[in-house]
Amino acid sequence: MNYDTIVVGGGLVGAAVAHGLGRLGEKVLVLDEGDVAFRASRGNFGLVWVQSKGEGMPEYARWSRHSADVWPDFSEELQEQTGVDTAYHKAGGVHLCLSEEAWERQSALIKRMHNVHGSDYGAVMIKRDELIKMLPGIGPEVVGASWSPHDGHASPLYLLRALHESITRFGGAYRNEARVENIEKDGSGYRVTTAAGSFKGAKVVLAAGLGNRKLGPLVGLEVPVFPQKGQILVTERTEMKFSMPTVFIRQTDEGSFLLGDSHEDAGFDLTSRTGIMADIATRAIRSFPFLKDLRLVRSWAALRVMSPDGFPIYQQSDSHPGVFSVNCHSGVTLAGAHARTLAPMIARGRLEEPMSAFSTERLNVQAH
Amino acid sequence: MNACDLAIIGAGPAGMAAATEAANAGLSVILLDEQPAPGGQIYRGIETVPEERRKLLGPDYGKGLSIAQAFRASNATYIPEATVWNINPDLSIDYSRNGGSSQISTRHLLIATGAVERPTPMPGWTLPGVTTAGALQILLKAHGGVGDDVVLVGSGPLLYLLAQQMIEAGGPPKAIIETIDRSHYLKAARHLPRALSALSYLRKGMAMMRQIRRAGVPHYTGARDIRIEGAQRAEAVCFSAHGRAHRIETTSVALHQGVVPNQQATRLLGCDHVWSESQRCFIPKLDAFFESSVENVFVAGDGAGIAGANSAEIRGRIVALRVAQKLGDDKGTQIRALQKKLSRDEAIRPFLETLYAPSDEVMVPHDDVLVCRCEEVTAGAIREAVDLGAPGPNQIKSFLRSGMGPCQGRMCGLAVSSIIAERRKENPQSIGYYRLRPPLKPLLLSELAQLEREPTRDEPL
Amino acid sequence: MFKRINAPKNGKVSFTFEGRSIDAAPGDTVASALMLAGETHFRDTPVSQSQRGPFCLMGVCFECLVEIDGVPNRQACMVAVREGMSVRRQKGAIGVEIE
């Protein structure tokens, strides 16, 4: 069996691209690992976030905004097709400032981002008096917040499930326990050898997260990504109070509060550390004191897929035409853009503008 | 923080015996337990039970008193009402007590958290009035309570022991509905010769069955298609047996399909586990001294594989002596003697495991049966997610939320792994189990926030 | 219906469940006392509002969650009864006061 495209990686990035390709009528195969892969998707916090993304890289700022713009339609279509609600709410989002210093810093950032996005950026700074009407329950230390109408949140887990369901419904194939061992040219296409057999495809998309680092060199690509640990806490279910997320506290459709934005350089270690959990809890309680009376029922640690400058990496191989690599740490935010804009480029066989800005050339990495 | 020589989690027979033995050998020992008094579930309430009740519960229960007394008399530090919520890789242990969280540190850890009842998903098992058999035994042991129309459903020694104790207490069960498949008898017979070396267990079992018969408790065998009926609570148990349909009205149904190791702590620590085909559950991989694949972490008691209270006590002692040996004391002779004793005590297990193997009905329930009680996920939904490509319980969990509720997978984990294995036609060993993370038990955020922090971001909020 | 095989000897502990006065024995947990007083419906689930009651009585299943003296989601089987305690059913997800 020959596939139009073989997507390596069944996480949010690979699944969004595969869904996008399937939507265009391509015959797609998704190759995935087993049950205990690192799978950053399972540790995603679930923000569709624009306001602070892309400082230092205007293309990324606009790419994030583009994705947020297509999210409503993307999510609705997924639900119509699969019956799975991604729990997406374009409710706006806030970044709380708990000190004058933080307020000043955030104001400056929002001003700079305004210059990047132009007139329809839409984010503004909101003082405490106004904010408390939008977000009752904020703590006494909260000075104010930045707010953007384009921000929102969704369930990463339901999104992943909807994408997998959609890939199947578009006629795509999915193989787990199929860790990729080799990729080689085969006629006009490629042969991908895995733990579960070998498969042929005209094009190949590497969307294996941290795994891309090892896979890239097989097809003439350098993918300088490294793990950054993040921990997330989940509370017991609570009556619904908040539709609007903050940058590290959001209430899910189930009623649980999700807390977390730790950034740890811990290699591939996935241990949940007590001190970090304590730090997250403290920050959350300072933001919303009522959280102190809620119980932590779950926590998890996951590895973000980071590039040296923190921005996504999209590449096509010069030596292996039709082979692409896709890496980012915002698999939820960018799912819309990956499905609706990136996938069609891959289907056409070439990355087009604005993707050149996202190649590793910006990092001065020598390509093979 | 000064590390103790041995920290023990759980004050059942294994934990108490290990603490006593280790303290007597001169080790510094801390024992953490969730209950207010020692005994674990098997000897629950042993120090405070009125004598009259202790007698009717039988000599096997009464035995726990001397173990508890020896433990109390030892130099081991005992911290009751302590809920362990995290164990760190350096073997420091976070526990919650009286509304605050504390930490202890240890050089060796014994996990003696015992067994939990095997999840028994079947239609109606979430209705109020349906409990585990163990729950009714706790109600009797610790609180002197007995039901007047209890129907016992399932298989396993505990079911008959409970029936006997209820008879002694003046509240015999209304019926026993036994799910043992006929084929189990033949298969079990093969293990009889070895079981004969544990003759006292067999004799006790026979005496128990005779007493149940004499009391005139209706006893149905070969039951299948079991379902519990009721609008808002249990009203009746329906089943078929030997070609006939039955319906027994009751307000109290007690389910039992044997007990399985409580895996929460060993999974959290990342200990290797193996699927035991005979016990139909995961068991931590242990050496001859009950040390796990994680160095200095030991498991004793039923958590190390189901073998009952006597074995639990012996295992606990072996671990204590082994730790003393690791710290430089020669305990080889004593350890070997205990290992011999253990082997004799466990001779009955293959027979019991084969005879009372859980029924397929609960291992692979029908599509419409709720498997995850907390998040209300059915067996059918799990099968659909497997068909969609989910390779194991962790992907199932993220697709369906099974195991994400407050019980953290304790009530569904084994069933979920079994259902996936059946659907994928694989062995549960290759399917695996939920990955566990702290907290082992829910914890107030205010308690968490009181702990020493390790900030990971520089900029102020 | 559950009953005690012997009348409690060492006095009694009184508390309320949904406003109803209940007599328990010292050493009872909230769960055992309620079961012995004929109660089976302890909570409604947050997912489907279906009724649940104690299942394991050993702190494992989290089915016996109740509100005790205003604190929600407490495991009734792990809390000892105290004189004057006010116990209520846990009705689905917990409420929070955010003002």
Side-chain angles (χ1 to χ4, degrees):
Chain A
M1 172 110 181
N2 275 321
Y3 294 95
D4 294 320
T5 303
I6 295 176
V7 178
V8 181
L12 283 171
V13 172
V17 170
H19 151 85
L21 292 169
R23 188 168 174 265
L24 297 169
E26 280 212 359
K27 211 159 61 183
V28 181
L29 168 67
V30 178
L31 297 173
D32 209 353
E33 288 192 74
D35 196 45
V36 278
F38 282 113
R39 207 166 291 280
S41 310
R42 287 206 289 244
N44 192 299
F45 189 67
L47 295 178
V48 178
W49 207 251
V50 181
Q51 59 171 278
S52 52
K53 292 274 178 75
E55 172 156 60
M57 187 174 186
E59 293 85 355
Y60 178 41
R62 288 193 284 270
W63 184 238
S64 298
R65 169 64 190 278
H66 165 65
S67 196
D69 287 347
V70 300
W71 244 99
D73 188 61
F74 163 68
S75 162
E76 204 178 306
E77 189 188 284
L78 268 178
Q79 184 169 2
E80 272 169 29
Q81 186 198 15
T82 66
V84 180
D85 181 358
T86 64
Y88 173 60
H89 302 284
K90 194 167 196 158
V94 296
H95 179 118
L96 298 183
C97 303
L98 275 76
S99 64
E100 288 298 338
E101 191 189 345
W103 167 271
E104 292 306 324
R105 193 184 60 234
Q106 192 66 11
S107 303
L109 173 69
I110 294 298
K111 196 174 272 176
R112 292 195 301 274
M113 294 305 296
H114 223 286
N115 295 334
V116 171
H117 284 274
S119 57
D120 72 337
Y121 172 42
V124 289
M125 295 300 292
I126 298 175
K127 283 273 187 199
R128 178 184 174 87
D129 298 351
E130 279 301 304
L131 184 65
I132 204 161
K133 292 179 208 154
M134 295 161 65
L135 272 179
I138 52 175
E141 293 175 74
V142 177
V143 179
S146 59
W147 170 84
S148 158
H150 305 295
D151 294 335
H153 57 144
S155 161
L157 304 182
Y158 292 152
L159 171 61
L160 186 64
R161 183 175 158 207
L163 289 170
H164 277 235
E165 184 83 46
S166 165
I167 291 162
T168 307
R169 294 200 184 201
F170 281 133
Y174 172 83
R175 292 293 294 261
N176 52 38
E177 314 282 358
R179 174 186 269 268
V180 171
E181 288 154 3
N182 197 21
I183 304 170
E184 60 204 332
K185 283 188 180 166
D186 184 340
S188 59
Y190 297 92
R191 173 170 297 277
V192 181
T193 309
T194 78
S198 77
F199 306 92
K200 276 189 70 177
K203 299 188 292 304
V204 174
V205 178
L206 302 183
L210 295 166
N212 276 7
R213 196 182 173 110
K214 273 193 180 158
L215 295 173
L218 296 173
V219 289
L221 291 170
E222 284 291 326
V223 188
V225 287
F226 59 91
Q228 184 189 58
K229 190 165 97 178
Q231 284 181 215
I232 291 177
L233 312 184
V234 191
T235 73
E236 57 200 330
R237 287 175 184 251
T238 310
E239 63 178 314
M240 288 307 298
K241 291 279 183 185
F242 295 97
S243 61
M244 182 158 59
T246 86
V247 76
F248 75 105
I249 300 168
R250 72 181 190 94
Q251 190 175 20
T252 68
D253 273 16
E254 284 75 33
S256 296
F257 282 87
L258 247 56
L259 323 170
D261 68 337
S262 74
H263 290 72
E264 306 158 56
D265 294 322
F268 288 87
D269 172 40
L270 278 171
T271 310
S272 298
R273 295 176 62 91
T274 306
I276 288 159
M277 293 166 69
D279 188 51
I280 294 170
T282 305
R283 291 161 62 100
I285 292 169
R286 283 175 65 199
S287 303
F288 294 100
F290 70 84
L291 291 172
K292 72 181 190 314
D293 295 325
L294 298 188
R295 280 179 196 78
L296 168 74
V297 293
R298 285 187 293 127
S299 77
W300 72 81
L303 301 177
R304 290 186 191 85
V305 182
M306 290 303 285
S307 62
D309 59 4
F311 302 129
I313 299 173
Y314 302 108
Q315 301 184 95
Q316 54 197 342
S317 171
D318 292 332
S319 58
H320 292 66
V323 177
F324 304 84
S325 78
V326 184
N327 279 97
C328 73
H329 60 78
S330 299
V332 172
T333 297
L334 296 178
H338 290 163
R340 295 296 180 86
T341 308
L342 177 64
M345 291 181 198
I346 291 169
R348 290 191 290 271
R350 281 211 64 76
L351 296 186
E352 297 149 14
E353 290 312 318
M355 307 316 282
S356 62
F358 294 100
S359 91
T360 48
E361 272 167 42
R362 70 175 194 264
L363 304 166
N364 299 319
V365 169
Q366 291 265 274
H368 282 295
Chain B
M1 196 179 353
N2 278 338
C4 63
D5 292 324
L6 175 64
I8 301 170
I9 305 174
M16 290 191 294
T20 309
E21 191 78 46
N24 292 347
L27 273 58
S28 57
V29 181
I30 298 177
L31 187 148
L32 299 162
D33 188 63
E34 202 174 6
Q35 292 291 333
Q41 301 304 334
I42 189 87
Y43 300 135
R44 181 118 172 219
I46 191 69
E47 290 180 326
T48 48
V49 62
E51 197 182 333
E52 195 183 339
R53 198 196 305 159
R54 192 175 73 227
K55 280 188 180 143
L56 73 83
L57 287 167
D60 283 343
Y61 173 70
K63 242 189 100 176
L65 188 58
S66 58
I67 304 173
Q69 282 165 344
F71 166 61
R72 289 281 197 185
S74 77
N75 279 329
T77 303
Y78 171 47
I79 309 180
E81 294 181 278
T83 302
V84 171
W85 63 269
N86 191 20
I87 309 169
N88 298 289
D90 65 358
L91 301 191
S92 57
I93 301 167
D94 296 298
Y95 66 95
S96 177
R97 186 168 196 257
N98 297 331
S101 190
S102 313
Q103 195 176 65
I104 60 161
S105 196
T106 185
R107 292 200 267 169
H108 304 86
L109 171 64
L110 169 59
I111 295 168
T113 49
V116 295
E117 295 224 21
R118 177 188 298 285
T120 49
M122 62 172 68
W125 76 308
T126 57
L127 287 168
V130 182
T131 62
T132 63
L136 295 196
Q137 203 191 27
I138 289 166
L139 192 67
L140 179 55
K141 276 194 247 189
H143 311 292
V146 69
D148 56 8
D149 68 343
V150 176
V151 175
L152 302 178
V153 180
S155 125
L158 177 67
L159 207 63
Y160 308 109
L161 175 61
L162 175 60
Q164 182 201 34
Q165 289 170 333
M166 289 171 69
I167 292 165
E168 290 283 345
K174 186 172 182 180
I176 299 176
I177 301 171
E178 196 183 82
T179 56
I180 303 169
D181 192 272
R182 252 197 143 86
S183 65
H184 293 188
Y185 290 97
L186 269 177
K187 285 187 206 152
R190 269 183 255 143
H191 298 289
L192 259 180
R194 179 155 181 239
L196 287 174
S197 69
L199 203 57
S200 67
Y201 280 115
L202 280 180
R203 283 214 188 97
K204 267 185 230 164
M206 315 265 270
M208 216 153 65
M209 303 303 265
R210 270 199 305 278
Q211 190 179 358
I212 293 166
R213 232 184 348 260
R214 270 205 309 273
V217 177
H219 188 165
Y220 301 86
T221 57
R224 322 164 53 98
D225 307 318
I226 300 163
R227 65 175 201 281
I228 299 150
E229 284 188 351
Q232 297 291 1
R233 49 157 306 137
E235 291 166 14
V237 186
C238 302
F239 61 99
S240 63
H242 309 293
R244 281 188 56 191
H246 298 267
R247 184 175 191 279
I248 301 175
E249 288 192 6
T250 173
T251 61
S252 172
V253 183
L255 305 176
H256 185 68
Q257 291 285 342
V259 294
V260 295
N262 179 353
Q263 304 176 68
Q264 302 298 113
T266 46
R267 290 280 178 186
L268 176 69
L269 277 163
C271 300
D272 289 342
H273 291 68
V274 289
W275 175 257
S276 161
E277 201 50 53
S278 62
Q279 296 191 6
R280 308 289 291 277
C281 60
F282 289 104
I283 295 175
K285 199 171 172 181
L286 304 169
D287 68 11
F289 311 99
F290 300 96
E291 187 165 0
S292 74
S293 62
V294 177
E295 202 188 352
N296 296 328
V297 173
F298 294 79
V299 189
D302 273 355
I306 304 305
N310 288 335
S311 285
E313 189 192 336
I314 304 169
R315 288 170 172 181
R317 292 192 197 285
I318 292 175
V319 169
L321 294 170
R322 176 64 170 177
V323 172
Q325 194 169 39
K326 281 187 130 187
L327 291 170
D329 278 358
D330 179 16
K331 299 287 184 186
T333 321
Q334 281 168 273
I335 291 176
R336 277 189 296 277
L338 284 171
Q339 283 170 329
K340 250 190 180 155
K341 196 172 161 194
L342 187 64
S343 156
R344 277 197 303 277
D345 190 73
E346 292 179 355
I348 188 78
R349 302 314 303 183
F351 173 74
L352 293 178
E353 285 164 12
T354 313
L355 183 58
Y356 298 123
S359 70
D360 283 347
E361 245 174 78
V362 302
M363 292 300 279
V364 277
H366 290 297
D367 277 353
D368 53 358
V369 174
L370 274 189
V371 173
C372 169
R373 299 170 61 106
C374 297
E375 294 292 327
E376 305 189 31
V377 180
T378 63
I382 293 166
R383 293 190 179 107
E384 274 175 38
V386 171
D387 295 346
L388 187 59
N394 294 293
Q395 192 66 20
I396 293 286
K397 181 176 177 177
S398 63
F399 276 171
L400 303 174
R401 299 186 57 80
S402 58
M404 284 193 186
C407 96
Q408 288 149 319
R410 288 170 172 85
M411 300 308 299
C412 69
L414 265 189
V416 168
S417 292
S418 298
I419 292 167
I420 300 168
E422 176 244 0
R423 193 66 165 186
R424 288 175 63 93
K425 299 188 172 57
E426 286 179 42
N427 188 291
Q429 176 74 40
S430 61
I431 298 300
Y433 194 77
Y434 291 138
R435 188 184 334 212
L436 287 177
R437 296 186 181 285
L440 287 171
K441 286 268 176 110
L443 174 80
L444 280 174
L445 286 179
S446 55
E447 271 190 53
L448 187 55
Q450 285 158 16
L451 300 175
E452 194 177 331
R453 293 186 288 132
E454 211 183 315
T456 65
R457 313 205 79 172
D458 302 332
E459 72 266 34
L461 277 170
Chain C
M1 184 72 187
F2 297 99
K3 59 179 194 298
R4 293 180 203 273
I5 48 180
N6 299 114
K9 282 174 193 152
N10 317 318
K12 62 170 192 180
V13 181
S14 300
F15 69 103
T16 62
F17 179 63
E18 293 290 328
R20 172 167 93 95
S21 178
I22 287 175
D23 286 344
D28 273 347
T29 61
V30 172
S32 69
L34 288 177
M35 286 172 83
L36 287 161
E39 298 289 346
T40 54
H41 171 203
F42 281 44
R43 70 171 186 127
D44 298 334
T45 65
V47 177
S48 69
Q49 282 69 51
S50 59
Q51 298 186 6
R52 296 283 171 90
F55 186 68
C56 78
L57 283 194
M58 54 185 269
V60 171
C61 73
F62 289 78
E63 291 287 17
C64 64
L65 299 175
V66 290
E67 184 186 297
I68 299 178
D69 292 333
V71 180
N73 272 351
R74 309 255 355 238
Q75 289 181 279
C77 73
M78 300 298 287
V79 179
V81 288
R82 279 193 322 273
E83 185 67 32
M85 205 176 225
S86 166
V87 181
R88 297 201 160 270
R89 288 197 176 98
Q90 181 64 48
K91 297 276 191 181
I94 65 175
V96 287
E97 288 300 322
I98 58 172
E99 298 315 324

